[in-house]
Amino acid sequence: MFHRSKRTKGAKDESKLTLFQRYGLFFFNHTRVTLLLWVLLTSFGVACYTTFMQREGFPNVAGPYSTVSGTYFVNNKERVDREVAKPLAQAVAKLGDVKQVSSQAGDNFFSLQIEFKDKVVATDGNSEVQRTISDQHLLPTGAKADFKPLFISKLTPDGDDMLISISSDQLNSQQLQQKADTIATALGQGGSAAIDGAERVKASETFRTGNDPETGKSVSEQKSFDWIATSQDGKVTFAPSILVAVQAKKGVDILHLDDAAQKSLQTLRNDPQYSGLKFTVAADFAESIRTQVSGLQDNLLGGLIAVLVVSFLLISFRASLITAISMSTVLAITVGALYVFGYTLNTITLFSLILCLGLIVDDTTIVVEAIDKGRRSGARAHEVVATALKKVALASTAGTLMTMMGFAPLLFISGIMGQFIHAIPVTIITSLAVSLLVSITLIPFLARFTLLRGEAKKLSNPISKLETATAHGLSQLVRRVGKSRKQGVAIGLTAILLSFIMLGAGAYFAGKLKFDIFPPTKDSDAVLVDMSFAPGSTITASQATSARANQIISDTIGQYVRRVSYQGSGSDSDAHITVDLVSFKKRDPTSPELAQQLQDKFANFTGAKVQVHADAGPAPAGSFTMQVRSEDSTKSKQLATAIQEYLEGRELKRPNGTVAHIHNVEVSGSNSIQRDNGVRYLQIDGSFDADDTSTLVPITQDLLKKGFDNDRVQRQFGLDGSALKYDVGQESQNQDSFKSMLIAFPILLVAMYILLAIQFRSTSQPLMIFLAIPFSFFGVTAGLYFTHNSFSFFTMLAIFALLGIAVNNTILLTDYANQGRKRGLRRSEAMASALEERFRPLLTTSLTSVVALIPLALSDPFWEALAFTLIFGLLSSTFLVVVAFPYYYLGNELIRSRFNRWRAIGWLVLLIVGGVAVSKLVGKAAGNGFMLGYILLTIAFLIGRAVKRRRNR
C-alpha cells in the first residue's frame, strides 16, 4: 500500500513538471543511456577533429569568376584589342549569366576577367564562355586562348594548394624551365616521385608561345620571372626559380599533401640527375593550419583552465570540473556536427571554435550554479535537479536563443564575404544549441556522481566572501527604495544617471574610433612588397631591378626572414614579393614596423616604385581605386594625370576631426589597353598613410566629386561626367556586405523583442531586458579606443554575440524577479531577492566568458579587436546590469501598475515627439537633454508617488 501511494504521488508530481524538468530528469535517471550517448557523441567529435575532417587554409570558395588569357603575336596592342580582346569581351558580355567583363590587351597578349551573376558555378560559366567563343569563331588565325575558372580561396587562381620552387644559379631561364617540366612529370601521377594525394602537378610557364599570324612561324618570349630565397643564420640567399604547382585531389587533407610532398622532394634530392637543383616549398597552407590547430588547442586549454579557476572560486571545485567537461563535450559534438554538415577544418571554422569558448559558458555555468545552490539547501538530489531546472532552464533557453538569433543575420550576407564567413554563424549557432542541450542533460547526469554526492561545504575563500558581501550590499540598496522615499528616489536616480553618464562617455569614445571593415593587422608573419617597374622596361631589366630589391630586403630585415618568394609574379611591368617572417611570437619588431623599415630603405630606389605593407591575413589589403573611362586615350590620360596631381599628398579630414593623407598615387594602363564592360579606361590607384581604409575611401571620393564635377570634366577635358567611376574593387563589395549586416540589425531586434514578449507576456519588459545592449556600449567603445582598435566587421561580430550574452543577464534577473512577484513579494523585495540570488551565477558567467576570451585576445593580433569588444562590452554591461538595471525594472513596474498600456504608449510617443521637436528647434544636444530630463523626472515622480501611497496606507 505504501509503495503504491508513493508511486501515485510521484506520478502526480511528474505531471506538474515542466518540459525542461522532465527532459533533464530523464537523463538524470537513465544513467546508462546518458553515458552511452555522451561517449558516442564525444568520441565521434574527437575522431572528426583528429582524423576525419579535411584540413585546408581557407574555405573552398568557388567565386563566380573566370579568365580567358592568350597570345596574339602582332607586336601591336591596338590591334590585339581591336581584333581579339574587344570582340571577345563584347560576345561574352551578352551571355545571360555574365555580370561584368574586363579586358586587357598588350602588344602580344590579351586577357579577360569575367564575373558571373551570384550563384553561378564558375566552372559552368567558364564552359559556357569557351563554348560561345568557339561556336562564333571569334579567335583570329594565330591567336591562342586558355579558359580557366578562378579559385579565390586557393593559393593561385588555378586552384593550386602548394607551390614548389625549383631553383639554380647555374641554369638560364630556358634550361630551368625544361628542368621544371621534367620534375613536374616526376612528381605527377605515375611519376618516379609521385606525390600521394596530388590530382595535378604542373610547372608554371615563364615563356609565352604562339604563332606569328603573318608567317605562321612559332614565336616565344619570356613573360615572367621568379626568385626564391631562404634564410640561414640571418643571411638571405636568392636564386632564380620556376614554380611547380600542386593541386590536391578532392577530399585530401592539406597536411597529408604536405607530408607526401616533402617525402617526394627528398626522393628527388637523392636522385643524381637533379644535382645542382634546390627544391623549396614556396607557398602552402600546411604551416598556417598547424599553427592554427596549435593555437586552437592552446586557447581551448587556457580557456578551460580559466573556467576551472573562476568556477572553483565562485562555486566549487566539483562544479568547475563539471563546467570544464561540459564545455569540452560541447566543442567535440560541434566539430562532429560540422563534419556532418560538410565543413572542413580551416581558418574560419577554427576561429569560430575558439570564439565559442566565450559563448557556451553561459548555459553550462547557470545550470551548474543552480544545482550547487540547491544542494546546499539540503534537499534530495532528484529534487535539487528539478528545482534548478525550473528556476533557470527557461531563462537560459531564452538567452541562448537571443545569442543564436544574434548570429543569424550573418547567414544572409551575400557575395564573396558571405561565402567566406558562412561557417562562423553555422559553427556558433550549432555550438549554442548543443550547449543548451548539454546543460539540461549532461550536467544533471554529471552532478549526480560529483556535485550531489557528499556534504556541501560553504565557500570561505576571499573572492567568494567579497561576492557575497557585494550581492548583499547591492540588494540592500534596492530594498531601500521600498523603505525610504527620499533615499529610494536618490538611489534610483543616481544609478540611472550613472548609466546615462557611461552611455555618454561611450558616445564620446565612439567619436574617436576609426572605421574599417577589415582592420589592418597589428602583427602577422609576412610582409608584402609590390614593385611597379619603370614604363618601357624589358623583362631582363625588370629582373635586374628586382635583384637589387632582393639585396635591400636581405640587408634590412634578413634576420627576421624565413622565406622570400615572388611566386611567379615577376613581369616587365610589376612584381609582387611575399616575405615570410619568423613567427611574431619569436621576434620583437612587428610586421608593420618591419614593413616601414623596408619602405624607408626603398625611398630612393630607382627603376621601380615600391610599396611595402604588412600582410593583412584573411583581410584584403585596402587602397583607393578609380577609373577614367573614355575611348579617347589622350583625353583620358590628361584627366587621369590631373587627378593624380590633385590627390598626391592631399589631406583627408575624418568626421571626428583627425586627418590622413593619400600618397603613391599612380596611373596604370598606359602599357596596355584596359576595358570594363567594353569601355576603355585608365586606372588610378593610391594608398593612405593610415589604416582605416573604409573611412578614407568615401572621403576621397567626395573630395574628387567636388574637385572634378561634371562641369569641370566637360569644360576642361572634353569628357562626360560619367567618365569617372568610383567603387571599383573589393572595398565596394565589402561595404555592401557590411551594410547588409547593419540592415539586418533592427530586423534582428524586432524578432528578439517578439520572442521575449511572448515568453514574458509583456510588451514593456522586453524593452527593459534590451537595456543590456546599450549598457555594453561604453565598454565596447572605450575598450576599442584604449586598445587602439577600430570599429570593423569583427567588432560587429562581437556585438552580435553580445546581444545574447549581455541580454541573458537581464533575462535572468527579470525572470527571477517575476517569479518573486508571483509568490507575492513586493516589487523592490522581488528585485532585491533576484539580485541577491542571481548575482553569483550572473557574475560567474560573465567572468568565465571574459577570462575564456583573454587567451584569444592575446594569442593572435588579428582577432584581438573582436575579443576585446566582447571582453570590455561584457564587463560594462554586467556592471550596469547589477548597479542600474534593478531601478529601471522598478520604474517599469511602477509604470505598468499606474498606467494602462495605452497611457504608457502615449508617454513614449510624447517623449519621442518632444525630443524630435526640441532637436529641430534648438539642436540635437538639446533634444537629447530633453529626453534625459523627461525620463529622469518621470521615474522620480513615479517612485515618489508610489512610496507616498505606501506610507498613507
Side-chain angles (χ1 to χ4, degrees):
M1 293 291 294
F2 173 77
H3 292 293
R4 181 176 297 178
S5 71
K6 185 177 180 180
R7 285 195 299 269
T8 303
K9 181 179 179 180
K12 182 178 180 181
D13 291 340
E14 289 289 332
S15 66
K16 295 180 180 179
L17 296 177
T18 65
L19 177 63
F20 293 108
Q21 288 176 304
R22 290 197 295 269
Y23 186 70
L25 289 174
F26 172 85
F27 290 94
F28 177 81
N29 294 325
H30 296 79
T31 55
R32 293 183 179 180
V33 174
T34 307
L35 179 62
L36 179 62
L37 286 175
W38 178 36
V39 171
L40 287 177
L41 292 175
T42 305
S43 299
F44 177 70
V46 172
C48 290
Y49 179 78
T50 58
T51 307
F52 298 153
M53 290 189 76
Q54 178 188 349
R55 269 89 167 157
E56 61 180 358
F58 290 98
N60 189 9
V61 176
Y65 301 101
S66 178
T67 63
V68 180
S69 58
T71 58
Y72 190 48
F73 284 90
V74 294
N75 293 316
N76 187 316
K77 62 184 179 184
E78 295 287 348
R79 184 178 171 185
V80 173
D81 176 65
R82 182 177 64 255
E83 297 181 7
V84 185
K86 187 176 181 180
L88 262 59
Q90 290 174 338
V92 171
K94 295 177 181 179
L95 298 177
D97 289 335
V98 172
K99 182 177 180 181
Q100 183 174 340
V101 181
S102 299
S103 66
Q104 183 180 19
D107 286 337
N108 292 312
F109 69 92
F110 63 91
S111 65
L112 270 67
Q113 295 79 42
I114 306 163
E115 180 181 359
F116 301 103
K117 294 179 180 178
D118 291 342
K119 298 183 179 180
V120 174
V121 179
T123 52
D124 294 341
N126 182 72
S127 299
E128 184 182 6
V129 169
Q130 184 173 2
R131 185 168 51 253
T132 299
I133 293 176
S134 175
D135 292 346
Q136 298 183 21
H137 306 288
L138 295 175
L139 289 174
T141 303
K144 291 183 177 181
D146 191 15
F147 302 82
K148 295 179 180 179
L150 290 183
F151 297 86
I152 60 177
S153 60
K154 298 291 187 176
L155 281 177
T156 68
D158 292 341
D160 299 309
D161 298 291
M162 175 182 289
L163 298 177
I164 299 172
S165 175
I166 314 299
S167 59
S168 173
D169 290 324
Q170 304 171 358
L171 303 178
N172 60 36
S173 298
Q174 289 183 335
Q175 292 171 331
L176 195 57
Q177 178 72 66
Q178 293 173 357
K179 285 290 186 181
D181 292 336
T182 302
I183 291 169
T185 301
L187 294 174
Q189 296 184 33
S192 59
I195 299 176
D196 183 36
E199 174 71 24
R200 184 195 67 203
V201 181
K202 183 180 180 181
S204 62
E205 298 177 356
T206 58
F207 288 84
R208 185 184 292 122
T209 60
N211 296 320
D212 188 316
E214 305 296 335
T215 64
K217 293 183 178 181
S218 177
V219 183
S220 175
E221 64 178 10
Q222 187 175 353
K223 65 176 182 178
S224 64
F225 64 87
D226 193 10
W227 295 92
I228 187 69
T230 54
S231 177
Q232 186 173 6
D233 299 328
K235 184 179 180 181
V236 182
T237 304
F238 285 85
S241 74
I242 289 182
L243 294 176
V244 172
V246 182
Q247 185 182 75
K249 292 180 180 178
K250 186 176 181 180
V252 171
D253 189 283
I254 295 299
L255 298 185
H256 171 80
L257 182 71
D258 179 67
D259 293 337
Q262 294 294 347
K263 183 178 179 180
S264 296
L265 292 179
Q266 189 58 46
T267 300
L268 295 181
R269 294 187 185 101
N270 297 332
D271 192 330
Q273 68 172 315
Y274 300 118
S275 61
L277 295 176
K278 187 175 182 180
F279 305 93
T280 308
V281 175
D284 68 346
F285 289 119
E287 185 170 353
S288 64
I289 292 173
R290 289 190 173 97
T291 301
Q292 291 156 13
V293 171
S294 175
L296 169 64
Q297 293 170 169
D298 291 343
N299 277 278
L300 176 61
L301 180 60
L304 291 178
I305 291 174
V307 170
L308 278 168
V309 172
V310 174
S311 298
F312 170 69
L313 292 174
L314 292 177
I315 307 178
S316 69
F317 176 71
R318 283 180 285 180
S320 67
L321 287 178
I322 294 176
T323 302
I325 293 172
S326 299
M327 290 179 63
S328 301
T329 301
V330 170
L331 291 176
I333 296 176
T334 301
V335 170
L338 291 177
Y339 174 75
V340 173
F341 295 158
Y343 285 91
T344 62
L345 207 59
N346 55 61
T347 298
I348 303 301
T349 51
L350 286 173
F351 158 71
S352 302
L353 289 171
I354 295 173
L355 180 58
C356 287
L357 279 176
L359 304 179
I360 63 178
V361 171
D362 263 15
D363 292 323
T364 306
T365 306
I366 288 171
V367 177
V368 168
E369 194 279 336
I371 294 176
D372 180 77
K373 193 174 189 66
R375 64 134 180 172
R376 296 178 188 278
S377 65
R380 296 172 58 187
H382 189 279
E383 183 181 349
V384 168
V385 172
T387 304
L389 292 176
K390 182 178 181 180
K391 283 185 176 181
V392 301
L394 182 61
S396 180
T397 301
T400 302
L401 289 176
M402 294 300 102
T403 312
M404 293 169 67
M405 291 175 65
F407 283 93
L410 302 181
L411 295 170
F412 302 99
I413 294 179
S414 59
I416 300 302
M417 182 190 291
Q419 294 185 57
F420 266 111
I421 70 166
H422 192 266
I424 295 178
V426 171
T427 303
I428 292 176
I429 291 173
T430 301
S431 70
L432 288 169
V434 172
S435 72
L436 179 61
L437 295 175
V438 166
S439 69
I440 300 174
T441 58
L442 181 62
I443 289 179
F445 166 78
L446 294 175
R448 176 172 186 162
F449 301 100
T450 55
L451 199 60
L452 296 175
R453 288 184 179 269
E455 183 181 354
K457 297 180 180 179
K458 186 177 181 181
L459 291 176
S460 59
N461 64 73
I463 302 296
S464 176
K465 291 180 178 179
L466 177 61
E467 175 269 323
T468 302
T470 303
H472 180 71
L474 291 172
S475 62
Q476 287 299 104
L477 287 176
V478 175
R479 289 188 174 96
R480 296 300 300 173
V481 174
K483 295 179 179 179
S484 171
R485 178 182 179 183
K486 292 182 179 180
Q487 289 185 2
V489 171
I491 293 170
L493 287 180
T494 301
I496 292 173
L497 183 60
L498 174 63
S499 67
F500 275 92
I501 291 174
M502 291 183 66
L503 187 63
Y508 168 79
F509 287 117
K512 298 289 185 179
L513 293 177
K514 297 178 180 179
F515 169 71
D516 206 1
I517 294 177
F518 281 103
T521 181
K522 292 186 176 181
D523 203 356
S524 64
D525 288 341
V527 167
L528 306 180
V529 182
D530 297 323
M531 290 193 296
S532 298
F533 299 112
S537 296
T538 63
I539 193 76
T540 303
S542 297
Q543 197 164 4
T545 301
S546 66
R548 292 189 289 111
N550 295 342
Q551 191 61 48
I552 293 176
I553 294 173
S554 177
D555 294 341
T556 307
I557 62 172
Q559 60 180 317
Y560 304 112
V561 169
R562 182 173 57 85
R563 178 178 62 197
V564 183
S565 175
Y566 282 54
Q567 298 182 14
S569 65
S571 68
D572 56 0
S573 59
D574 54 27
H576 309 283
I577 312 171
T578 300
V579 183
D580 293 312
L581 306 172
V582 297
S583 173
F584 64 85
K585 299 178 181 179
K586 299 179 181 179
R587 53 179 160 81
D588 292 329
T590 64
S591 55
E593 291 171 346
L594 294 175
Q596 188 59 53
Q597 291 179 26
L598 266 184
Q599 189 68 69
D600 294 340
K601 289 294 182 180
F602 280 113
N604 299 316
F605 190 72
T606 58
K609 290 185 177 181
V610 181
Q611 295 186 35
V612 187
H613 59 275
D615 184 16
S623 62
F624 175 77
T625 304
M626 65 171 295
Q627 295 176 354
V628 176
R629 301 158 62 86
S630 174
E631 292 296 326
D632 192 325
S633 59
T634 302
K635 293 180 179 179
S636 294
K637 181 66 174 177
Q638 292 174 349
L639 177 55
T641 302
I643 292 175
Q644 178 186 22
E645 295 172 352
Y646 177 80
L647 287 180
E648 184 64 45
R650 177 69 59 173
E651 181 179 280
L652 308 173
K653 189 173 182 179
R654 301 184 182 91
N656 61 12
T658 59
V659 298
H661 299 83
I662 186 171
H663 57 88
N664 295 325
V665 183
E666 296 181 355
V667 178
S668 61
S670 300
N671 294 334
S672 60
I673 298 176
Q674 301 176 125
R675 293 184 180 275
D676 177 37
N677 284 336
V679 180
R680 188 169 179 173
Y681 71 90
L682 294 176
Q683 185 162 302
I684 302 172
D685 300 290
S687 56
F688 304 107
D689 62 359
D691 47 35
D692 50 333
T693 305
S694 298
T695 297
L696 298 177
V697 165
I699 294 174
T700 307
Q701 292 175 2
D702 292 339
L703 196 65
L704 279 174
K705 289 175 182 177
K706 294 178 182 178
F708 291 84
D709 56 24
N710 292 348
D711 291 339
R712 181 185 177 186
V713 171
Q714 188 171 10
R715 182 181 66 255
Q716 186 173 345
F717 302 98
L719 296 175
D720 186 79
S722 61
L724 301 183
K725 182 181 179 181
Y726 305 99
D727 291 336
V728 177
Q730 187 64 39
E731 180 62 28
S732 176
Q733 297 180 23
N734 291 341
Q735 292 194 19
D736 290 341
S737 297
F738 191 81
K739 288 176 183 177
S740 67
M741 292 178 63
L742 297 179
I743 294 173
F745 189 75
I747 299 175
L748 167 68
L749 291 180
V750 171
M752 294 171 71
Y753 173 84
I754 293 173
L755 182 64
L756 290 173
I758 294 173
Q759 177 184 339
F760 288 94
R761 298 179 182 180
S762 169
T763 56
S764 60
Q765 283 194 345
L767 296 176
M768 295 298 102
I769 290 171
F770 278 157
L771 285 173
I773 300 173
F775 282 174
S776 64
F777 184 60
F778 169 77
V780 169
T781 57
L784 291 174
Y785 176 78
F786 286 111
T787 58
H788 307 290
N789 284 290
S790 57
F791 187 81
S792 65
F793 167 77
F794 300 110
T795 58
M796 198 67 185
L797 278 180
I799 290 173
F800 282 157
L802 275 173
L803 287 178
I805 301 176
V807 165
N808 201 27
N809 291 334
T810 48
I811 288 176
L812 284 173
L813 280 181
T814 302
D815 182 69
Y816 203 86
N818 287 346
Q819 292 182 36
R821 292 286 288 157
K822 291 179 181 178
R823 295 195 304 268
L825 297 179
R826 293 180 302 171
R827 286 183 291 269
S828 58
E829 182 59 33
M831 176 49 68
S833 299
L835 184 59
E836 196 164 20
E837 290 288 329
R838 306 317 302 160
F839 183 78
R840 176 171 293 178
L842 188 152
L843 182 65
T844 304
T845 55
S846 297
L847 285 182
T848 49
S849 297
V850 167
V851 177
L853 286 165
I854 289 177
L856 176 61
L858 301 179
S859 64
D860 192 335
F862 188 81
W863 304 115
E864 74 170 40
L866 184 148
F868 281 136
T869 300
L870 279 169
I871 289 171
F872 289 104
L874 195 52
L875 289 175
S876 170
S877 179
T878 302
F879 172 76
L880 287 177
V881 163
V882 299
V883 171
F885 177 75
Y887 306 99
Y888 281 97
Y889 175 86
L890 294 178
N892 178 66
E893 291 304 295
L894 280 171
I895 294 175
R896 292 178 68 191
S897 64
R898 299 291 178 258
F899 292 90
N900 60 32
R901 186 170 300 172
W902 294 109
R903 288 182 180 180
I905 293 175
W907 177 84
L908 289 173
V909 171
L910 180 60
L911 171 65
I912 296 171
V913 172
V916 172
V918 173
S919 298
K920 294 289 185 181
L921 294 175
V922 184
K924 184 177 179 180
N928 293 337
F930 169 81
M931 291 185 179
L932 173 60
Y934 190 41
I935 292 172
L936 293 177
L937 287 175
T938 303
I939 293 175
F941 168 75
L942 290 172
I943 293 176
R945 183 179 177 186
V947 172
K948 183 177 180 180
R949 286 190 176 186
R950 184 188 61 81
R951 285 188 168 185
N952 291 336
R953 290 176 181 174

